Amino acid sequence: MKTYHVAIVGATGAVGTELLRLLEVREFPVASLRLLASERSAGRTLPFRGQSLVVERLDANAFENVDIAFFSAGASRSREFAPLAVRAGALVIDNSSAFRMDPAVPLVVPEINPEDICLHKGIIANPNCSTIIMLMALAPLRKLAPIHRVVVSTYQAASGAGAQAMAELIEQTGDVLREKPIVPRVFPYPIAFNLFCHNTKIDETGYNEEERKMIFESRKILHDPHLKVTATCVRVPVVRAHSESINVEFAPGTRPSLEEARKALETFPGVALVDNREANHFPMPIEASGRDEVLVGRLRYDLSNENAIDLFVSGDQILKGAALNAIQIAERWIKEGSKHA
């Protein structure tokens, strides 16, 4: 089996450490592994396959002889260093927002649009976590009938803001229970026992960046520029795994039956149907955390719209929402023969 020289940019962050774990547990064909991070993290060691690997400082010369570079260090780092990695001969799989809406860069969820991988010119973008989790539920339904409109509300965990945000939620929870004052550092407001509008910039339309990502990335991945999507994104006091309430409106007269929808979801790779009305058991972030699959359930007809179905989903933001999707892109690229456009 051919093996590959791999680099992880942002190796010490929440997604970077998950990438490292997944490379090991999925037995990715690694010939060598280079861990890259900021100067502040350089010198740390991380375990991989029984060894301790030293984290190196990210610089312009870090990608020599690298075949695949996973980037998860923010958009500014990606814009600066991804082109350098490509020029050095690496395939870049980028987890930031830097290239997602670039027409020349494929935006890929392997279960949904794997054919786009071969269109790359050195960079493949990993979609936003909330977009991935939503589309894993929509893609099988879209095979049953054309989707006309999507209304989604998200319940986004602290994990979406990184390891420090998760630690802040845990710390604040203890502070509240001990009746100590709360001093937010990562988030703009207290996250323990609270929820608030997603902490990204709001534009003149009133939508924040996370909501716009869900709208425009969905259209690009599904190759449907006219898909109607409206989103409301909210931070909630959950450590890990995002949840979403989704209303799916189909083209008039085409709404599938609930049984058809359940069967489509049950058989779709990467989805687990959790839809037990008798036990009132539906997707929960506590059960989605640590799982590769996106949990989908709470299927019911929209009583206010004869063309729509309601559902609820939960998915691990760090796994399928980020690191796992990136690894799956690389695995698919290898399977297709490492094709370059």
Side-chain angles (χ1 to χ4, degrees):
M1 176 188 291
K2 183 178 178 181
T3 56
Y4 298 84
H5 300 285
V6 178
I8 299 176
V9 178
T12 58
V15 174
T17 54
E18 197 67 60
L19 282 166
L20 184 63
R21 186 188 71 83
L22 289 171
L23 289 174
E24 183 165 348
V25 300
R26 293 176 74 89
E27 299 182 347
F28 195 88
V30 175
S32 68
L33 180 58
R34 184 173 295 172
L35 305 182
L36 303 168
S38 66
E39 188 170 5
R40 184 178 67 254
S41 297
R44 287 181 55 184
T45 60
L46 295 172
F48 182 71
R49 294 181 179 173
Q51 299 180 327
S52 291
L53 301 184
V54 178
V55 177
E56 304 173 44
R57 184 174 67 86
L58 175 64
D59 61 31
N61 301 312
F63 303 100
E64 184 178 354
N65 298 322
V66 170
D67 299 311
I68 304 170
F70 295 100
F71 273 66
S72 188
S76 60
R77 289 292 177 92
S78 291
R79 292 189 189 98
E80 181 180 359
F81 289 99
L84 300 178
V86 172
R87 282 201 287 273
L91 168 70
V92 169
I93 301 174
D94 182 48
N95 193 53
S96 80
S97 61
F99 306 105
R100 288 176 185 156
M101 297 312 299
D102 185 331
V105 176
L107 185 64
V108 175
V109 181
E111 296 90 343
I112 299 172
N113 61 329
E115 65 281 356
D116 289 354
I117 290 174
C118 67
L119 302 176
H120 79 87
K121 294 179 174 63
I123 301 174
I124 301 172
N126 214 29
N128 171 263
C129 52
S130 300
T131 304
I132 294 174
I133 291 166
M134 176 177 72
L135 292 187
M136 287 296 291
L138 295 185
L141 300 180
R142 193 167 177 261
K143 292 183 177 181
L144 300 176
I147 292 177
H148 178 68
R149 183 172 185 253
V150 178
V151 180
V152 58
S153 296
T154 70
Y155 308 77
Q156 292 182 230
S159 58
Q164 291 183 350
M166 290 188 282
E168 178 161 283
L169 169 57
I170 294 168
E171 179 184 336
Q172 284 186 7
T173 301
D175 288 343
V176 170
L177 294 175
R178 290 189 294 268
E179 298 184 346
K180 293 176 62 177
I182 300 300
V183 182
R185 294 185 302 275
V186 179
F187 289 117
Y189 306 104
I191 183 66
F193 300 95
N194 190 30
L195 42 90
F196 48 81
C197 172
H198 192 277
N199 51 300
T200 48
K201 185 178 179 181
I202 303 224
D203 72 2
E204 66 281 357
T205 68
Y207 283 75
N208 62 43
E209 288 180 6
E210 189 80 356
E211 292 157 354
R212 295 195 298 275
K213 288 175 185 176
M214 295 190 74
I215 295 167
F216 297 111
E217 290 180 20
S218 296
R219 292 172 179 172
K220 181 174 179 178
I221 294 163
L222 297 176
H223 300 284
D224 187 353
H226 304 296
L227 178 66
K228 296 180 179 179
V229 182
T230 186
T232 300
C233 295
V234 175
R235 286 280 187 211
V236 298
V238 170
V239 174
R240 181 164 172 162
H242 293 350
S243 298
E244 301 177 5
S245 172
I246 308 172
N247 178 270
V248 188
E249 182 180 343
F250 298 89
T254 68
R255 181 175 71 177
S257 69
L258 293 183
E259 187 55 39
E260 289 173 322
R262 287 192 184 97
K263 185 174 181 180
L265 290 162
E266 266 182 325
T267 57
F268 193 76
V271 166
L273 185 66
V274 181
D275 195 53
N276 187 336
R277 293 183 179 181
E278 290 74 19
N280 199 1
H281 183 201
F282 303 108
M284 294 181 281
I286 198 169
E287 294 184 351
S289 295
R291 288 191 62 169
D292 291 350
E293 304 90 350
V294 172
L295 311 185
V296 184
R298 198 77 217 281
L299 272 72
R300 61 204 188 278
Y301 294 126
D302 178 349
L303 298 182
S304 71
N305 185 338
E306 63 183 9
N307 296 310
I309 287 175
D310 288 309
L311 58 151
F312 193 81
V313 306
S314 290
D316 191 309
Q317 175 274 329
I318 301 175
L319 283 171
K320 186 55 185 172
L324 176 61
N325 198 72
I327 295 286
Q328 289 174 320
I329 290 172
E331 290 171 341
R332 187 67 182 230
W333 177 75
I334 290 171
K335 183 179 179 181
E336 294 297 317
S338 307
K339 295 175 185 176
H340 287 266

